[in-house]
Amino acid sequence: MSQAQALWWASESFWRKTAIWVTAVSFVVLIFLTFDTVKQITAGSKRVPAYSVINQRIEYKFDEKRNFQAPVIGREEPLFGKKLTEQEAEALVSHGKMTTQSKNCIDCHTLLGNGSYYAPDLTKAWLDPVWGSKESREEAMVEFLMNPQLVAHNGIGRKMPNLKITEPEARAVVAFLKWMASIDTNGFPANFKSIDQADAPAAAASAAPAVQPAPAPAQQ
Amino acid sequence: MADTSRFPGSTMNGGQKLAMKYFTVAIALFGAQILFGMLAGLQYLYPDFLFGVLDFSINRMLHLNAMVVWLLFGFIGSVYWMLEDESGVPVVGLGLANLIFWIFTLAVVAVVLVFLLVQVGAGDMKSIWLITEGREYIEAPRWADIGIVVCVLAFFYNVVATFTKGRFTNIAGVLIVDLVALAGLYLAGMFYTPNISMDQHWWWWVIHLWVEATWEVLVGCLMAYGLIKTMGVRRQIVETWLYIEVALMFGSGILGLGHHYFWIGTPEYWFTIGGFFSALEPIPLVAMVVHAVFDAGHHKMKSVNHPALAWIIAQAFGNFFGAGVWGFMHTLPQINLYTHGTQWTASHGHLAFFGAYATMVIAFLYIALQKWRGNVWMGGNLEGAWKWKWAIFLLHVGMIGMVMAMLISGYEQSQIERAIEGSSWMGYFAAQGHPWFIQGMYWRSICGAVFAAGFVLLAWDLLTIGKKEARPALALQGA
Ligand code: HEM
Ligand code: HEM
Ligand SMILES: [Fe+2]
């Protein structure tokens, strides 16, 4: 075909080559970026802290330079009052994560904003004001997870079913949630108002200003 | 069974007979998808409905796994359907292919029964191997994952062996490369990690790189074949277009993956890369509309198979609106910060999966049925044409209605829960309890019922179309 010469840009062979090159280049770029990203999201990195971070206070504060909220790792505040080694912490968080998978939490909730939309996002569940005070939070979470159907927390009657979560599983889930709250998610969720984690007045006087006081949970 | 010897060209080859089996399971699972979607939708309105018996999570999981499997069965069936035609030789390894069909189907039944009856397990690896992997869309337990990989490998063997033995067309080449990628990506979803960021990072390789890269190209191959078959479009034209689509699709979709890496712990450079490349993703979808509409116009809509052509056109537009427009609306990080994980996402997910993939499989069902019923007439004045016309109409009215309803709820949710209340527990319910949100959820269920009615009509039509037709199919030149 003499036309084929004139219309090189409409020819099959031109587009075949283009398709191969474009795909190959995109894929190679993706591989390079993936190496870097995987490094940056490996537990123990700056963005995704080591599991032993559950030994410390985790806050979510506005970062002036980045112009959004970011997790702040605070002073020592071990989960359930027991300081864990890195290995123990990983085992606990892992048990919690596995529980979230075997109970399909993500088919009602979102985690890091991904999943289902029938129930609240769990990214910062550890910091939610509904848990009351930071002293009662851990036990309140364990109790809730084991028997979520007992108390109504919202006006539309939607409840979380009892998923037969055992106490060790519930504690592990709380560890997982605490750890997840420490991940740097580039400011998602925005405008989140944390539970009050300030120290008692005497100790707090010298400390940096704490997060905003939590609004009273709108019960029922 | 249909009388398969009515008109010339009605003899079904082995791959086509097998395809009919895949199609049968696909349409049954489509019905199951709608059933569980309706149940899940009703639970938004009546939270006590089936509470503790068949919880939302279970209904939703079945809704989505039924969807993934019926679409995959539809695709596999479609490929078996065209394999001998396209390659010019009988399917290699057909006996194995038939065996695999039964294994695959039985495995699906087993997984569904476990989801329904066992539902959840203890928090250990045993549950992940035997009950559920608990990761959205790919909840199938690990044993089933391995089974799926084996089945797909067997399918892959059939395709490659047949094309290498017979004619190796451009469509064949694209299809094979695409299937390698499709199967390879599934492996990215088959491991356990306690690290949720790592988990979701690789999970998106499966989900995004499936639906926004490999599935799109697969559908491009089916579309190419469909246009040749239904309208006799010249092969050179569709194959050139196919390469254009592959270039644009992979060029934007591979790095477009970054639009899922804004908020899961991944670095900030994904804002730029993900935002930019995913914003380009609608371009190949525009190209596909131009292609389908241009070809249809060029052939003056003269087609062997009106219902199939109608669904092909619906695919072009559905893909453009559902994936292209609805995807673009929330793909920039500045917007996605507030729409992420809301009913916006659900609105887009519905229109995209229906518009891009359900439509394509349905088009192929009609192409297949025409031959199955004896290569009968399926042009204008088709006997009982009101059924397919009303089915396509009701399915679209229902789907568009649902999508609009979810979009309105999604707007409200992104404003109240995400922007004002900061996505806390009570912020979430402030949005869920707002009248505007609830109205959206009512309309979702009402339009869902319209969609379900459309499905019933579709199923009836598929069972009957062409049975009473006494005219042979229109013959195309150059098909
Ligand atoms: C046929 C192709 C497509 C299908 C089937 C599809 C389907 C989906 C589904 C089901 C989700 C929700 C995933 C989840 O459960 O978390 C999603 C998310 C998303 N899609 Fe698509 N999509 C397609 C194409 C596109 C395109 C072309 C764009 C952009 C231009 C896009 C942008 C997005 C974005 C930004 C999200 C994340 C939403 C969020 O942050 O919650 N999609 N897609
Ligand atoms: C009777 C019709 C349907 C109803 C009532 C329905 C209802 C639902 C409900 C309640 C959800 C859960 C959303 C949430 O987590 O809040 C859902 C999710 C989903 N459905 Fe449907 N559905 C229907 C039909 C379909 C069809 C035909 C398709 C595609 C072919 C589809 C694809 C999806 C997808 C992709 C999701 C996940 C969305 C996401 O994660 O963002 N649905 N559906
Ligand atoms: Fe995507």
Side-chain angles (χ1 to χ4, degrees):
Chain A
M1 277 205 296
S2 57
Q3 268 183 344
Q5 280 294 328
L7 294 176
W8 59 268
W9 51 269
S11 75
E12 197 178 276
S13 68
F14 169 75
W15 282 104
R16 186 197 299 122
K17 282 183 212 129
T18 308
I20 293 172
W21 275 103
V22 167
T23 306
V25 170
S26 306
F27 191 66
V28 169
V29 173
L30 177 64
I31 295 294
F32 271 102
L33 291 169
T34 300
F35 272 110
D36 182 72
T37 297
V38 163
K39 206 171 80 202
Q40 294 205 45
I41 61 171
T42 298
S45 64
K46 212 171 117 215
R47 304 188 60 92
V48 181
Y51 301 105
S52 57
V53 78
I54 59 173
N55 289 325
Q56 277 157 289
R57 178 185 300 177
I58 291 153
E59 289 168 294
Y60 190 49
K61 286 184 171 169
F62 195 79
D63 181 325
E64 296 288 345
K65 237 175 50 211
R66 299 172 77 192
N67 200 35
F68 49 69
Q69 284 160 291
V72 175
I73 314 298
R75 67 176 184 76
E76 195 166 288
E77 214 165 78
L79 187 67
F80 302 115
K82 185 167 179 287
K83 198 171 165 198
L84 302 179
T85 65
E86 184 57 45
Q87 270 171 341
E88 289 168 334
E90 175 166 356
L92 191 63
V93 170
S94 182
H95 187 202
K97 167 77 164 19
M98 225 176 263
T99 304
T100 65
Q101 288 184 226
S102 60
K103 308 282 180 192
N104 295 317
C105 311
I106 207 161
D107 288 319
C108 284
H109 290 275
T110 45
L111 282 78
L112 306 179
N114 290 315
S116 313
Y117 321 122
Y118 190 70
D121 181 56
L122 295 182
T123 309
K124 303 291 170 193
W126 167 252
L127 298 173
D128 202 281
V130 172
W131 303 122
S133 71
K134 78 170 174 152
E135 288 75 22
S136 62
R137 163 174 55 186
E138 291 164 8
E139 288 314 317
M141 289 180 85
V142 170
E143 248 162 64
F144 173 81
L145 287 171
M146 291 173 66
N147 277 301
Q149 79 287 7
L150 292 184
V151 190
H153 300 90
N154 62 74
I156 60 171
R158 205 182 294 168
K159 283 184 182 174
M160 172 162 154
N162 189 319
L163 298 166
K164 301 186 189 70
I165 299 175
T166 64
E167 189 175 336
E169 283 171 350
R171 289 173 164 259
V173 167
V174 174
F176 169 73
L177 293 174
K178 182 173 183 183
W179 172 75
M180 182 161 66
S182 77
I183 297 173
D184 184 343
T185 50
N186 291 339
F188 175 87
N191 196 26
F192 183 85
K193 298 159 193 86
S194 290
I195 189 171
D196 185 0
Q197 297 188 105
D199 295 308
S206 57
V211 287
Q212 301 165 23
Q219 297 285 340
Q220 239 73 150
Chain B
M1 287 292 110
D3 171 8
T4 48
S5 56
R6 285 171 71 183
F7 298 110
S10 65
T11 321
M12 308 262 287
N13 63 49
Q16 294 180 330
K17 286 183 190 149
L18 174 59
M20 293 312 293
K21 295 186 197 160
Y22 273 103
F23 289 150
T24 309
V25 178
I27 209 74
L29 285 171
F30 186 16
Q33 181 198 3
I34 293 169
L35 172 70
F36 291 110
M38 292 292 292
L39 296 181
L42 285 173
Q43 287 174 322
Y44 264 90
L45 303 171
Y46 311 102
D48 293 334
F49 178 56
L50 294 177
F51 181 76
V53 180
L54 209 56
D55 284 312
F56 179 87
S57 45
I58 307 300
N59 287 323
R60 188 194 207 270
M61 180 165 67
L62 287 164
H63 178 54
L64 286 171
N65 284 271
M67 173 186 78
V68 173
V69 176
W70 88 258
L71 292 176
L72 278 177
F73 268 47
F75 293 155
I76 293 175
S78 303
V79 172
Y80 278 125
W81 180 270
M82 63 184 251
L83 202 47
E84 179 168 337
D85 222 10
E86 185 70 11
S87 67
V89 295
V91 176
V92 178
L94 193 61
L96 175 72
N98 271 292
L99 178 70
I100 287 289
F101 164 78
W102 288 107
I103 295 178
F104 209 164
T105 304
L106 283 177
V108 169
V109 172
V111 170
V112 169
L113 287 178
V114 170
F115 283 174
L116 266 175
L117 302 175
V118 185
Q119 300 189 352
V120 294
D124 53 31
M125 270 324 265
K126 213 174 93 220
S127 302
I128 287 169
W129 272 92
L130 300 177
I131 301 172
T132 170
E133 228 169 304
R135 297 167 78 211
E136 198 193 358
Y137 302 102
I138 48 176
E139 284 96 345
R142 190 66 53 79
W143 73 263
D145 280 350
I146 294 170
I148 290 169
V149 171
V150 171
C151 292
V152 169
L153 284 179
F155 165 64
F156 186 66
Y157 159 74
N158 291 141
V159 175
V160 175
T162 309
F163 278 127
T164 35
K165 193 168 159 207
R167 215 170 24 213
F168 201 95
T169 60
N170 287 303
I171 296 181
V174 174
L175 185 66
I176 286 174
V177 173
D178 193 57
L179 287 176
V180 174
L182 203 155
L185 287 170
Y186 193 69
L187 300 177
M190 278 176 60
F191 68 102
Y192 169 80
T193 163
N195 182 341
I196 185 78
S197 289
M198 196 65 84
D199 180 325
Q200 294 197 355
H201 173 269
W202 291 108
W203 178 83
W204 279 117
W205 271 59
V206 187
I207 307 305
H208 171 101
L209 291 179
W210 263 14
V211 301
E212 284 165 66
T214 52
W215 284 30
E216 284 281 6
V217 168
L218 181 63
V219 159
C221 295
L222 297 179
M223 173 75 106
Y225 174 86
L227 288 171
I228 295 176
K229 281 290 136 182
T230 55
M231 292 195 292
V233 182
R234 266 200 308 136
R235 176 171 286 274
Q236 211 208 341
I237 293 181
V238 294
E239 291 190 333
T240 306
W241 268 108
L242 183 60
Y243 283 124
I244 296 177
E245 282 156 16
V246 172
L248 296 173
M249 189 60 80
F250 283 161
S252 60
I254 291 178
L255 290 169
L257 174 62
H259 65 177
H260 304 295
Y261 291 166
F262 300 153
W263 326 114
I264 63 167
T266 34
E268 280 171 57
Y269 51 69
W270 288 111
F271 280 149
T272 319
I273 298 168
F276 179 76
F277 283 95
S278 69
L280 300 180
E281 283 184 51
I283 296 173
L285 308 178
V286 176
M288 286 168 110
V289 173
V290 174
H291 177 197
V293 171
F294 173 83
D295 281 346
H298 184 71
H299 292 256
K300 304 202 173 54
M301 301 292 276
K302 201 166 153 221
S303 146
V304 198
N305 188 323
H306 278 206
L309 179 62
W311 280 101
I312 284 178
I313 303 288
Q315 194 280 340
F317 282 98
N319 199 1
F320 171 65
F321 280 103
V325 178
W326 256 244
F328 183 81
M329 285 198 298
H330 61 164
T331 203
L332 298 175
Q334 295 86 339
I335 294 163
N336 193 259
L337 174 59
Y338 299 103
T339 61
H340 183 42
T342 63
Q343 294 295 329
W344 265 73
T345 314
S347 176
H348 157 64
H350 278 87
L351 196 55
F353 263 111
F354 176 76
Y357 300 130
T359 48
M360 192 72 231
V361 172
I362 296 171
F364 247 82
L365 290 176
Y366 278 109
I367 293 179
L369 280 174
Q370 179 170 29
K371 196 166 184 183
W372 174 252
R373 296 273 146 76
N375 208 23
V376 291
W377 178 263
M378 284 205 187
N381 315 320
L382 170 71
E383 181 78 33
W386 68 272
K387 270 183 276 173
W388 77 260
K389 289 181 182 166
W390 273 93
I392 195 172
F393 176 72
L394 288 177
L395 286 167
H396 277 86
V397 168
M399 180 49 69
I400 293 169
M402 282 199 291
V403 162
M404 290 303 170
M406 284 184 273
L407 189 65
I408 291 169
S409 292
Y411 263 110
E412 185 275 350
Q413 193 183 358
S414 63
Q415 299 285 327
I416 296 186
E417 178 194 339
R418 288 274 182 268
I420 301 173
E421 299 279 344
S423 311
S424 63
W425 185 347
M426 285 307 129
Y428 173 84
F429 280 107
Q432 299 286 309
H434 194 287
W436 292 354
F437 185 91
I438 296 172
Q439 280 162 10
M441 293 293 102
Y442 267 104
W443 281 104
R444 189 253 304 270
S445 280
I446 292 168
C447 297
V450 174
F451 187 89
F455 171 77
V456 172
L457 206 52
L458 175 74
W460 182 24
D461 189 49
L462 293 174
L463 288 174
T464 53
I465 192 168
K467 271 196 173 159
K468 293 210 189 104
E469 197 46 67
R471 295 165 290 174
L474 178 76
L476 287 175
Q477 310 111 347

